[in-house]
């Protein structure tokens, strides 16, 4: 266990959802010129006969958006820790064209890392079946997805289509949560710095992670309660009573409607969030019967050029290692 930060976190990363709902300063609206620049880069990729994710940054030239990219990157690491980019006319694009624009934008912001043992750099978040078999992951169903973080500096979601109903995206500031624990439940603080065994549910691991880590002047977080509980139970060392209490406190704060920020990702919306500063969740949703109308989001995990240094005991930012051979049955 490293240094425990015993002072409240300060700065724009400390926010409450209720306050952000009063303005839209956290939403970036694409201008006509910016959209034209992205579409010009799309044509450049298509003229080369390339598809996502099989092209490089130079294949997707957007020099006119250098200032916007710099703003996105800075806001994710040193601002609120998340962005909502709105206004892309996604209804005018095929899914393949949308994926090229999204992946190309991601290449200019950071380096995509693998999201599973298959080595996928561009993920698809959609309902492909009920979570009754070990081959279906929760993000591939319509079920509620509890608050968590991913194994990368930044996670991005691009909405191609939304559900018939439900499917709200929820964000919560881990820095605000930390301040709440420090002020109201300080007895649990040390418990959240302990390293916990974490399962990757068939995609490698397990390894260890603390919930909070303070290193080189920055507080970082990682929260995957379900994965921790799965790993500790498999190892025969389930969470103790006090550890469970600490996690329950965390969850109670996360679900406070004043703390969390709920939003509907409309078609064309792109959401980016810093995994060390912001935790994300999704509500249950009802999908359309027609497969082509069902909720579909594209996902990126990015390694960022300006990201913080991480403590040695804090698992890294390089995604999930690709494996050459993958078992037929993968735990969900």
């Amino acid at each position: 266990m490293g240094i425990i930060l015993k002072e409240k976190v300060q700065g724009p990363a400390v926010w409450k959802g209720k306050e952000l709902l009063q303005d839209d300063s956290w939403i970036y609206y694409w201008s006509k010129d910016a959209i034209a620049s992205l579409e010009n880069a799309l044509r450049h990729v298509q003229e080369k006969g390339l598809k996502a994710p099989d092209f490089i940054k130079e294949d997707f030239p957007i020099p006119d958006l250098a200032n916007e990219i710099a703003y996105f990157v800075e806001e994710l690491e040193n601002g609120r820790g998340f962005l909502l980019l709105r206004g892309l006319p996604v209804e005018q694009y095929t899914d393949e064209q949308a994926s090229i624009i999204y992946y190309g934008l991601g290449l200019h912001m950071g380096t995509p890392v693998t999201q599973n043992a298959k080595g996928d750099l561009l993920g698809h978040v959609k309902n492909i079946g009920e979570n009754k078999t070990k081959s279906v992951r929760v993000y591939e169903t319509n079920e509620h997805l509890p608050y968590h973080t991913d194994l990368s500096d930044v996670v991005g979601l691009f909405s191609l289509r939304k559900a018939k109903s439900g499917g709200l995206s929820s964000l919560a500031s881990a820095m605000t949560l930390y301040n709440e624990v420090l002020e109201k439940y300080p007895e649990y603080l040390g418990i959240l710095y302990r390293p916990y065994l974490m399962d990757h549910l068939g995609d490698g691991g397990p390894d260890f992670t603390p919930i909070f880590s303070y290193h080189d002047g920055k507080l970082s977080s990682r929260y995957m309660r379900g994965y921790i509980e799965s790993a500790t139970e498999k190892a025969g060392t389930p969470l103790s009573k006090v550890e469970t209490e600490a996690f329950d406190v965390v969850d109670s704060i996360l679900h406070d409607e004043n703390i969390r920020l709920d939003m509907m990702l409309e078609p064309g919306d792109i959401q980016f969030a810093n995994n060390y500063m912001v935790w994300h969740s999704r509500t249950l949703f009802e999908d359309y019967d027609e497969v082509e109308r069902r909720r579909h989001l594209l996902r990126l995990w990015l390694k960022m050029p300006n990201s913080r240094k991480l403590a040695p005991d804090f698992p890294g930012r390089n995604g999930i290692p690709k494996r050459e051979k993958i078992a037929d049955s993968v735990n969900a």
Side-chain angles (χ1 to χ4, degrees):
M1 187 186 301
I3 300 171
I4 295 178
L5 179 63
K6 296 185 178 179
E7 298 177 357
K8 284 191 174 182
V9 183
Q10 305 292 328
V14 181
W15 51 263
K16 293 184 177 181
K18 183 178 181 180
E19 297 168 355
L20 292 186
L21 288 176
Q22 306 305 313
D23 68 80
D24 64 354
S25 61
W26 47 278
I27 304 176
Y28 169 85
Y29 293 91
W30 294 107
S31 67
K32 289 183 179 179
D33 288 343
I35 293 172
S37 182
L38 292 170
E39 292 178 346
N40 181 62
L42 163 65
R43 287 190 290 272
H44 197 269
V45 172
Q46 290 184 307
E47 286 170 2
K48 289 190 169 188
L50 302 173
K51 300 178 181 180
D54 299 321
F55 62 88
I56 60 176
K57 181 169 68 173
E58 288 71 23
D59 295 321
F60 192 86
I62 46 174
D64 294 343
L65 298 183
N67 290 338
E68 285 85 349
I69 297 296
Y71 164 70
F72 299 160
V73 171
E74 175 67 14
E75 181 68 12
L76 286 168
E77 178 61 30
N78 298 309
R80 292 191 182 105
F82 77 96
L83 293 163
L84 183 68
L85 315 181
R86 175 162 284 172
L88 277 181
V90 70
E91 70 281 354
Q92 298 179 20
Y93 311 138
T94 65
D95 286 2
E96 182 178 301
Q97 290 173 328
S99 69
I100 290 172
I101 290 175
Y102 181 49
Y103 192 75
L105 175 63
L107 287 173
H108 283 271
M109 291 173 60
T111 303
V113 297
T114 49
Q115 302 176 25
N116 52 37
K118 293 185 293 183
D120 289 340
L121 294 172
L122 185 65
H124 295 269
V125 180
K126 56 184 178 179
N127 177 21
I128 64 171
E130 296 181 1
N131 190 23
K132 293 182 179 178
T133 69
K134 292 186 176 182
S135 61
V136 177
R137 302 294 292 271
V138 177
Y139 70 83
E140 296 174 319
T141 74
N142 67 335
E143 296 178 13
H144 165 64
L145 199 58
Y147 277 100
H148 65 285
T149 56
D150 296 317
L151 297 172
S152 61
D153 294 335
V154 162
V155 56
L157 293 171
F158 180 16
S159 175
L160 300 181
R161 288 174 288 281
K162 65 179 182 178
K164 183 178 181 180
S165 64
L168 283 174
S169 174
S170 293
L171 302 179
S173 165
M175 306 297 105
T176 298
L177 183 146
Y178 188 88
N179 287 352
E180 290 284 311
V181 173
L182 183 61
E183 178 182 344
K184 300 175 182 177
Y185 310 97
E187 66 273 20
Y188 292 118
L189 202 59
I191 295 171
L192 298 175
Y193 276 82
R194 292 178 182 174
Y196 291 93
L197 191 64
M198 182 174 66
D199 197 345
H200 291 302
L201 305 183
D203 279 329
D207 56 19
F208 287 89
T209 183
I211 308 304
F212 287 105
S213 171
Y214 185 67
H215 183 71
D216 199 37
K218 283 198 172 183
L219 181 69
S220 300
S221 68
R222 173 152 289 137
Y223 193 59
M224 299 179 173
R225 180 170 182 171
Y227 287 18
I228 291 171
E229 290 176 335
S230 171
T232 53
E233 288 172 7
K234 287 179 183 178
T237 56
L239 296 177
S240 68
K241 180 181 178 181
V242 70
E243 289 170 337
T244 300
E245 288 174 357
F247 282 34
D248 287 345
V249 162
V250 167
D251 285 344
S252 69
I253 296 171
L254 287 171
H255 290 91
D256 183 334
E257 61 182 12
N258 294 315
I259 298 292
R260 72 176 194 268
L261 176 64
D262 297 335
M263 68 184 78
M264 177 59 72
L265 294 181
E266 299 292 341
D269 283 355
I270 299 176
Q271 179 194 87
F272 286 109
N274 185 317
N275 279 307
Y276 311 126
M277 299 162 62
V278 176
W279 300 354
H280 59 279
S281 172
R282 183 198 71 205
T283 63
L284 176 76
F285 64 88
E286 178 186 0
D287 232 335
Y288 291 98
D289 292 331
E290 302 90 343
V291 175
E292 66 276 6
R293 297 182 68 192
R294 289 184 179 177
R295 185 180 190 270
H296 187 180
L297 284 74
L298 300 176
R299 184 176 63 188
L300 280 174
W301 285 4
L302 297 175
K303 186 174 182 178
M304 303 299 285
N306 66 334
S307 190
R308 66 199 57 206
K309 294 180 181 178
L310 298 175
D313 66 344
F314 198 76
R317 50 176 44 114
N318 297 314
I320 295 171
K322 181 180 179 180
R323 285 186 290 161
E324 295 302 320
K325 293 183 179 180
I326 304 172
D328 292 333
S329 178
V330 179
N331 290 335

